Amino acid sequence: MTWVNALVQGILLGGLYALFACGLSLLFGVMRIINLAHGDLAVLGAFIVWTVSTQTGIGPFWALLLALPVMLALGYLLQRAVLARSLRGGPLTPLLTTFGLGIVIQNGLLEAYSPDVRSLGGAAGGIATGSWRLTAQLSIPYIGLLTLATAVLVLGGLHLVLRRTAFGREMRATAQDPDTAALVGVPAQAVYARATAIAVATATVAGAFLAVHSTFDASSGPTQLIFAFEAVVIGGLGSLWGTLTGGIVLGVAQTVGAVVDPQYSILAGHLVFLAVLASPRGRSLLTRSGT
């Protein structure tokens, strides 16, 4: 039963990783860039949700609804003011730009909030601590199930948008060939700005669930970026449903590794990631990304 419990907890943990990886996968699929500030943007969203929740006394999920429009606008402005220029400088420039942006966000959060660790678990009430106990050794936490359900809804919603709406067709056309798409009236920069806004919003959702699920501080971004990047690579660069699969594989690897030895939890996930990179599929993914 211990192994079954590890499998269940790993699947639920994978939902959190998939949420973090969603925006990263979207930006790579549309703009062919890897946003190195993605984890820090998620933590920024978590701090905004934490601020709204603590200042107003409302629950974290209500605070998330108030924070999302702010982060959508921030993502839109970020692409218009920063990323649009860096995209014209070649594949390396966006990496350096987002790396610098991540450093700026981290230092700004340290100045504003100090290095103290925070959490929204207490503000979330029973949903953060309660669980369905199926057997003496197997239980399903409410927050884990809610996180996984949210990941499925977000990824499923984005998949429908990409496949069934005019905006989705514009994003797919721009991703394949922005110059040709521009010839038929698709404004590539506007598409990029809206895609970035969506990616930052999904990062905020992930940050809010991290704040409820665990603890966070101003320096938590790089760790979450690593997990998100591993989930994207394991599932396939640019694939939304693959992102969910990659997150679950990474989560299961970590929980199973923890059963063997608690020290092996993070290591097991990294080993799975390296195994995928070393495979022929992993090499083809790196070729696609231009790295």
Side-chain angles (χ1 to χ4, degrees):
M1 186 62 71
T2 300
W3 294 102
V4 174
N5 188 58
L7 179 63
V8 171
Q9 303 307 320
I11 292 172
L12 298 180
L13 179 61
L16 179 63
Y17 292 156
L19 272 179
F20 272 104
C22 177
L24 201 65
S25 179
L26 179 66
L27 276 192
F28 180 83
V30 176
M31 299 168 60
R32 292 295 185 267
I33 67 169
I34 298 174
N35 180 13
L36 297 182
H38 185 76
D40 296 298
L41 287 167
V43 173
L44 172 62
F47 270 107
I48 292 176
V49 172
W50 179 85
T51 300
V52 173
S53 180
T54 54
Q55 293 297 318
T56 63
I58 62 177
F61 298 112
W62 292 110
L64 173 61
L65 295 179
L66 297 177
L68 281 177
V70 176
M71 297 303 287
L72 278 166
L74 176 62
Y76 190 92
L77 293 174
L78 175 64
Q79 200 284 329
R80 286 293 196 178
V82 179
L83 295 181
R85 298 179 182 180
S86 67
L87 285 171
R88 295 193 291 266
L92 184 60
T93 305
L95 285 175
L96 296 175
T97 301
T98 55
F99 177 73
L101 177 63
I103 294 175
V104 170
I105 293 174
Q106 282 188 54
N107 283 276
L109 291 175
L110 282 170
E111 287 291 331
Y113 292 98
S114 79
D116 294 343
V117 174
R118 290 170 170 82
S119 174
L120 282 170
I127 197 170
T129 57
S131 62
W132 283 296
R133 181 161 295 279
L134 303 181
T135 68
Q137 293 182 317
L138 178 61
S139 61
I140 300 178
Y142 296 152
I143 185 60
L145 192 61
L146 179 60
T147 304
L148 179 61
T150 302
V152 172
L153 287 174
V154 169
L155 290 165
L158 284 176
H159 180 79
L160 289 176
V161 167
L162 288 173
R163 296 296 175 184
R164 302 292 179 86
T165 68
F167 172 55
R169 289 190 291 272
E170 289 179 351
M171 278 206 291
R172 286 187 285 122
T174 304
Q176 291 178 5
D177 192 333
D179 294 329
T180 303
L183 292 176
V184 296
V186 177
Q189 293 304 319
V191 172
Y192 289 161
R194 284 177 282 181
T196 305
I198 294 171
V200 172
T202 59
T204 302
V205 174
F209 275 95
L210 172 69
V212 174
H213 189 276
S214 182
T215 59
F216 68 99
D217 58 54
S219 302
S220 297
T223 300
Q224 304 310 317
L225 172 66
I226 290 172
F227 292 150
F229 183 71
E230 289 180 344
V232 169
V233 171
I234 292 171
L237 290 168
S239 170
L240 290 177
W241 288 121
T243 297
L244 178 62
T245 302
I248 291 174
V249 170
L250 182 63
V252 169
Q254 290 185 358
T255 54
V256 169
V259 171
V260 177
D261 189 312
Q263 296 182 5
Y264 294 162
S265 174
I266 304 301
L267 176 62
H270 294 335
L271 290 176
V272 170
F273 168 68
L274 290 175
V276 171
L277 279 184
S279 69
R281 175 173 171 273
R283 290 193 291 271
S284 67
L285 289 175
L286 289 178
T287 301
R288 279 182 57 203
S289 68
T291 57

